[in-house]
Structure formats: structure tokens, C-alpha cells
């Protein structure tokens, strides 16, 4: 009986040790994720929006781009969506495009979210998280401002207020 208890405790201890080792490894290697540098060319990508239209970042050269990464489960993301939508309506005819990149959720879930919030700007889904990885996204929401030359001029993580969204779109307006 004692030997069996000792074996069980040893197995549990090994599992806990492995979990701690993995957590430490994940935290230390997380910093090595390549983050997009300010002033450098934004990584190009091609994603399809909810209407089936293709969006290639490089097609927006000559225009400013407000690139927002989000998830339906993210309450701060949900809070800023109406602000982004309001400013999108103001800036879309002034050369500032908005692209909202959903991180790996189903089309059904994203469509329900869009219907509930009546959003008008293009929303794409990064199904395999390649764009998320290319940009080195950490916590959501995350927003990149890309100038008309295609260079990243700002990175912001956390909830945006409507005045911040307006200011950010002004920064990348051609």
C-alpha cells in the first residue's frame, strides 16, 4: 500500500514539475515572438472578410490603415467596437481604412457578434493565426496604425476610447 502511494505521489510530482517547466519555457520564449517594429514595413497578409471579399494589406498603400485585432469573447474589444465603427464612418472617405482581424473564431460566432453590434467596417478571420503571429500580438485588443507608405507608426494594446480612435485615424490620414 505504501509503495503504491509513493508511486502515485511520484507521478503527480513529475506531472506538476513538467507543468511548471512548460510554463517557464512558454513565458521565456514568448518574448522571442517577433514584434513588428515601429517605422518598419507592416507584414503583408491576405484574409477574406465575412462577405467573401479578399483583403490584402498591400492593396491599401496610399491610404492609412487602422488594423485592429480582437475576439468576440474579449469584453474590452466589444466595448471599443462602436467607437471604431463611428470613426470608420467619418474617416473611410478621407483615405483611412479599417480592418478588424478576428483571432481564430468561427464564422458563425463572428457573424452573430457583427449582427448584434451592426458593424460596417471589414472584418476578417485569421483562422490559422498566421497574421497574429506575424504581428507578434499579445493581449487583445491590439491595434496597429499603418501609414499610407505601409509603415507601422503605432502599436496600442488595450481598450480604446472614441477620442483615441479618432486621434489614431487622424495620425494615418493621407
Amino acid at each position: 500500500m505504501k509503495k503504491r502511494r509513493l508511486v502515485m505521489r511520484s507521478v503527480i510530482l513529475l506531472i506538476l514539475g513538467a507543468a511548471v517547466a512548460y510554463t517557464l519555457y512558454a513565458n521565456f520564449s514568448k518574448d522571442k515572438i517577433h514584434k513588428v517594429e515601429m517605422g518598419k514595413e507592416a507584414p503583408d497578409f491576405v484574409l477574406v472578410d465575412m462577405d467573401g471579399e479578399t483583403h490584402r494589406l498591400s492593396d491599401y498603400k496610399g491610404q492609412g490603415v487602422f488594423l485592429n485585432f480582437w475576439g468576440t469573447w474579449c469584453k474590452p474589444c466589444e466595448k471599443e467596437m462602436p467607437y471604431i465603427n463611428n470613426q470608420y464612418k467619418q474617416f473611410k472617405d478621407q483615405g483611412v481604412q479599417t480592418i478588424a482581424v478576428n483571432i481564430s473564431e468561427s464564422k458563425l460566432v463572428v457573424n452573430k457578434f457583427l449582427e448584434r453590434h451592426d458593424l460596417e467596417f471589414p472584418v476578417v478571420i485569421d483562422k490559422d493565426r498566421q497574421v497574429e503571429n506575424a504581428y507578434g500580438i499579445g493581449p487583445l485588443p491590439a491595434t496597429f496604425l499603418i501609414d499610407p507608405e505601409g509603415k507601422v507608426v503605432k502599436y496600442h494594446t488595450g481598450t480604446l476610447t472614441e477620442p483615441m480612435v479618432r486621434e489614431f485615424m487622424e495620425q494615418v490620414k493621407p
Side-chain angles (χ1 to χ4, degrees):
M1 191 68 153
K2 281 186 179 183
K3 189 172 185 177
R4 189 172 171 197
R5 210 173 339 166
L6 178 64
V7 169
M8 289 301 283
R9 286 180 180 166
S10 297
V11 168
I12 290 171
L13 190 58
L14 280 171
I15 292 170
L16 287 174
V20 168
Y22 174 76
T23 302
L24 290 172
Y25 168 77
N27 281 331
F28 287 120
S29 65
K30 177 174 69 176
D31 294 337
K32 292 184 175 109
I33 292 174
H34 176 65
K35 294 225 188 279
V36 175
E37 294 180 44
M38 300 309 110
K40 299 278 183 180
E41 187 85 13
D44 198 13
F45 61 84
V46 178
L47 292 172
V48 177
D49 70 18
M50 306 311 287
D51 297 324
E53 292 183 41
T54 300
H55 294 267
R56 178 184 303 273
L57 183 63
S58 56
D59 289 346
Y60 293 105
K61 279 230 169 119
Q63 302 175 65
V65 177
F66 183 93
L67 183 63
N68 181 262
F69 290 84
W70 67 286
T72 61
W73 49 266
C74 166
K75 289 300 175 194
C77 300
E78 186 171 9
K79 183 178 180 182
E80 70 186 15
M81 284 297 173
Y83 308 146
I84 296 170
N85 199 55
N86 290 341
Q87 294 308 308
Y88 166 74
K89 292 176 193 176
Q90 301 296 315
F91 283 88
K92 69 180 178 181
D93 295 328
Q94 298 179 42
V96 178
Q97 297 301 318
T98 298
I99 303 173
V101 180
N102 175 272
I103 305 296
S104 192
E105 292 184 272
S106 76
K107 195 171 181 176
L108 178 68
V109 170
V110 173
N111 270 328
K112 283 185 177 186
F113 182 92
L114 297 179
E115 287 170 13
R116 195 168 60 242
H117 294 283
D118 197 29
L119 302 176
E120 298 177 25
F121 50 82
V123 173
V124 297
I125 300 176
D126 183 16
K127 290 182 178 152
D128 55 10
R129 297 185 151 194
Q130 285 188 354
V131 179
E132 174 191 17
N133 292 332
Y135 279 79
I137 301 299
L140 297 178
T143 303
F144 286 86
L145 301 181
I146 302 166
D147 70 13
E149 288 78 48
K151 293 191 175 18
V152 176
V153 294
K154 188 172 190 77
Y155 169 67
H156 178 86
T157 186
T159 311
L160 297 169
T161 63
E162 190 150 5
M164 288 170 76
V165 174
R166 184 179 316 109
E167 177 190 325
F168 286 179
M169 288 190 179
E170 278 290 343
Q171 285 181 32
V172 293
K173 186 167 80 170

